[in-house]
Amino acid sequence: MFEYKFVRVELSPFRRRPKQDYQAIVAEHARQGSRLVQIFAPATGGDGAAMYFELILEKQASSS
């Protein structure tokens, strides 16, 4: 079984650049045993461009 985590990364409104270092986010989660599954941009603004994207991370569920 797997656990999933969704991390939202906001984009700046004018330049559409990430406000956070998404590579650092992925690397930190990888050190904690997760892997990047997908990057998803679900929301769009009035101009049709994404307002944020989500990193979808997966890791093996701990058996309790």
Side-chain angles (χ1 to χ4, degrees):
M1 187 183 305
F2 294 94
E3 296 175 353
Y4 293 91
K5 183 172 186 177
F6 301 84
V7 178
R8 182 180 288 203
V9 177
E10 301 287 335
L11 300 174
S12 63
F14 300 109
R15 301 179 109 192
R16 299 290 186 216
R17 292 189 180 171
K19 292 182 178 180
Q20 300 167 278
D21 183 356
Y22 63 89
Q23 293 175 342
I25 294 169
V26 172
E28 177 59 31
H29 282 85
R31 283 191 286 277
Q32 298 171 12
S34 295
R35 70 180 189 101
L36 177 66
V37 175
Q38 185 174 5
I39 298 175
F40 181 64
T44 58
D47 60 358
M51 297 171 65
Y52 66 90
F53 60 85
E54 289 185 335
L55 305 173
I56 303 172
L57 302 151
E58 171 186 80
K59 76 174 185 176
Q60 194 77 35
S62 50
S63 56
S64 300

